[in-house]
Amino acid sequence: MSRAGYYLYHICRLVLGGLFLYAGAVKANNVVVFARDVANYQLLPYAWNYLVAATLPYVEAVAALLLIFNRKVRPSALLLALLTFAFMVALTTVVARGMDIDCGCFNPGQGHTSASMALLRDVGILLLALLTLRLRSRMLS
């Protein structure tokens, strides 16, 4: 791998890790508000909204820390890519149903990020996760 590829890998890994560490931290800071944001999607049974809100921030944070410390990069980046894809599916259903809800992604309960803007942002995050996976695979071969 070239020197530029090496640096690009580390930048992608650290940016992705930092993004999800921040997202996990702000969601974990106010689980009740995040549970309300999850419930607004109207996709899960009522009892599952709090379960998702109570566990998802820690899953994101652990995967992010593994990326930041350059440990288990492929499984962590893959998990974050799958989570981002799942978020995109949920956001697509919100847009298709014409709902106007806050995505609850980075500032649960504060401000308002439309589902379509969050979907565009998630496309970028998914590309970042896939690029991290690809570059990591190239480093190992």
Side-chain angles (χ1 to χ4, degrees):
M1 175 181 283
S2 69
R3 180 173 277 234
Y6 175 81
Y7 288 122
L8 181 61
Y9 160 71
H10 287 293
I11 290 168
C12 289
R13 175 182 62 78
L14 291 171
V15 168
L16 185 64
L19 262 168
F20 276 94
L21 185 60
Y22 173 76
V26 296
K27 290 173 196 166
N29 191 41
N30 199 340
V31 174
V32 174
V33 171
F34 182 49
R36 183 202 64 210
D37 289 342
V38 171
N40 287 339
Y41 282 84
Q42 300 174 9
L43 294 173
L44 299 173
Y46 179 76
W48 288 26
N49 293 320
Y50 192 79
L51 177 66
V52 168
T55 57
L56 182 62
Y58 299 101
V59 171
E60 290 177 342
V62 168
L65 287 171
L66 287 169
L67 283 174
I68 290 168
F69 291 115
N70 205 21
R71 301 284 183 239
K72 304 289 184 189
V73 172
R74 286 191 294 181
S76 299
L78 179 61
L79 173 64
L80 295 178
L82 291 172
L83 283 174
T84 302
F85 183 73
F87 301 154
M88 291 172 68
V89 170
L91 289 166
T92 301
T93 67
V94 167
V95 171
R97 291 182 284 163
M99 298 170 67
D100 183 29
I101 64 170
D102 181 34
C103 76
C105 305
F106 290 98
N107 273 345
Q110 298 178 9
H112 181 75
T113 303
S114 71
S116 54
M117 287 304 297
L119 190 56
L120 287 174
R121 179 183 58 214
D122 282 354
V123 167
I125 294 171
L126 180 61
L127 291 174
L128 182 63
L130 294 175
L131 182 58
T132 302
L133 272 170
R134 172 104 169 119
L135 291 170
R136 178 62 180 189
S137 295
R138 290 180 68 197
M139 279 188 68
L140 297 177
S141 55

